[in-house]
Amino acid sequence: MIHTRALTRDFGTKSGTVQAVRGLDLDVGAGELVALLGPNGAGKSTTLRMLTTLLPPTSGGATVAGRDVVADPAGVRRRIGFVGQGHGAGFDQLARDELVTQGRCYGLGRAEARRRAEALLTELELDGAADRESVRLSGGQRRRLDIAMGLIHRPDLLFLDEPSTGLDPHSRANLWSHVLRMRAEHGTTVVLTTHYLDEADAVAERVVVIDHGRVIADGTPDELKGKVSGDLVSLTTATADAARAAAEAAGRLPGTTAVETDGTEVRLRVPRGDAVLPELLRALDAAGAPLTGVRVQRPTLDDVFLTLTGRSLREGAE
Ligand SMILES: Nc1ncnc2c1ncn2[C@@H]1O[C@H](COP(=O)(O)OP(=O)(O)OP(=O)(O)O)[C@@H](O)[C@H]1O
Ligand SMILES: [Mg+2]
């Protein structure tokens, strides 16, 4: 569905050249659901804007849905849907009319466009807002209208740039269940960006981490998390003496790294928490260090980014 080769985009600014995307190589197969993750300014939107033909590459190239983005932009546009980071809806039409017009632009007949518009308005819970101009909608309602506009022609390939930003938790959950259902029914390929790491973790089968315009990691959420950090095991003991004994016993287990003691609490990194837990508990029992609590935490995608770059994605995002 997508092949990019050394895709590059520079911007000339007063203070010099900004290299927004630097030689990006990315292949996405039909039916994949891929999340692009990266801090503010990493080059995610610029990449999507090149893939959706809104911005020409400075060098390198890409084919999207079998068409070259530079040689055949109209061919690409016919086959894709795009929900940009900014608002896509106009201002003076009623939300419902805007949606129908969008469908008609993509060649749907009037009745079919109306039918699909009504279905989307219901599924994205916009019924109550359908008879208002889009400028009068709330931020979250307008965002949902943008999303409906990207979906009305049922593209084979859908690009969503931060679709859930500004949506309340209920609307976010509703958005993802809609996207996942559409994918199950029509085999839609989806490429999205989000700053909600838990969302990327839950929804995406593949995560591509971008930093300074380059791909720095690419894999399933589990692969990425497995590769870099290991699980964090936190042990709580009744006394500081028991904590010291626990830390010593834990440090002797094979594969354990980074044992830290903090009062009655001990934290350690192990490759897989569930795999070492029985042995760890036996060792602590033998060492006379009874526990009052145990917690195993899988690494998050933020831990992955931190390990790769030394920076936290959260700092950039929040
Ligand atoms: N039209 C432009 N002119 C100059 N610089 C630009 C332009 N568009 C983007 N940039 C710069 O290119 C870099 C990448 O921007 P981009 O919008 O692709 O980031 P992003 O990963 O989408 O970030 P965010 O998470 O904030 O949306 C940034 O440094 C940005 O300032
Ligand atoms: Mg962006």
Side-chain angles (χ1 to χ4, degrees):
M1 269 291 178
I2 300 174
H3 300 287
T4 78
R5 288 295 165 261
L7 191 65
T8 300
R9 176 70 204 202
D10 296 338
F11 291 107
T13 66
K14 279 192 191 130
S15 49
T17 303
V18 176
Q19 295 179 299
V21 177
R22 310 180 194 208
L24 193 89
D25 292 317
L26 182 68
D27 295 296
V28 176
E32 280 197 270
L33 198 163
V34 181
L36 306 185
L37 285 192
N40 290 139
K44 305 177 298 293
S45 295
T46 305
T47 300
L48 294 194
R49 293 179 64 211
M50 287 193 281
L51 296 178
T52 54
T53 77
L54 296 178
L55 197 65
T58 305
S59 64
T63 56
V64 172
R67 309 293 155 123
D68 188 286
V69 291
V70 176
D72 186 10
V76 172
R77 288 176 190 204
R78 258 195 294 278
R79 289 167 176 79
I80 63 171
F82 178 44
V83 178
Q85 189 167 2
H87 286 298
F91 295 95
D92 49 358
Q93 282 196 83
L94 303 183
R96 172 183 286 110
D97 294 346
E98 187 129 33
L99 205 44
V100 172
T101 304
Q102 177 85 353
R104 301 278 288 146
C105 287
Y106 275 96
L108 298 180
R110 192 179 302 277
E112 179 65 6
R114 286 213 176 122
R115 207 178 55 71
R116 288 196 197 177
E118 288 312 320
L120 279 168
L121 288 167
T122 302
E123 282 173 44
L124 295 174
E125 299 180 346
L126 282 167
D127 301 278
D131 294 314
R132 263 180 267 160
E133 292 90 355
S134 56
V135 72
R136 295 187 204 286
L137 302 184
S138 78
Q141 288 168 336
R142 204 184 306 172
R143 194 68 188 138
R144 280 180 277 149
L145 178 61
D146 291 334
I147 292 160
M149 287 174 64
L151 301 180
I152 189 144
H153 56 297
R154 292 200 190 129
D156 293 334
L157 173 57
L158 180 63
F159 293 95
L160 303 168
D161 198 354
E162 294 192 33
S164 52
T165 299
L167 297 190
D168 63 35
H170 169 79
S171 298
R172 274 170 68 188
N174 190 37
L175 163 67
W176 292 122
S177 69
H178 185 86
V179 169
L180 293 177
R181 199 165 52 238
M182 190 186 69
R183 195 167 162 248
E185 282 171 19
H186 305 289
T188 315
T189 309
V190 183
V191 177
L192 62 96
T193 74
T194 176
H195 284 292
Y196 296 110
L197 300 178
D198 51 339
E199 193 169 88
D201 204 343
V203 180
E205 286 149 8
R206 179 174 164 202
V207 171
V208 175
V209 186
I210 296 183
D211 192 32
H212 298 305
R214 292 194 179 91
V215 174
I216 59 166
D218 182 348
T220 67
D222 269 347
E223 276 166 4
L224 295 185
K225 288 185 281 184
K227 229 182 271 177
V228 284
S229 2
D231 293 355
L232 178 68
V233 179
S234 310
L235 309 169
T236 315
T237 60
T239 63
D241 279 348
R244 269 190 292 278
E248 225 167 85
R252 282 196 294 270
L253 285 176
T256 303
T257 53
V259 184
E260 272 173 38
T261 312
D262 180 7
T264 55
E265 192 156 318
V266 180
R267 285 183 292 276
L268 49 132
R269 288 259 172 211
V270 293
R272 286 296 306 216
D274 52 355
V276 303
L277 213 50
E279 200 182 338
L280 179 62
L281 295 179
R282 273 196 298 276
L284 295 178
D285 198 32
L291 299 178
T292 56
V294 180
R295 193 161 58 137
V296 178
Q297 284 166 282
R298 297 280 294 133
T300 63
L301 289 175
D302 194 42
D303 294 330
V304 173
F305 191 77
L306 190 65
T307 309
L308 291 171
T309 66
R311 287 172 289 129
S312 168
L313 264 174
R314 288 189 189 288
E315 287 159 22
E318 285 172 8

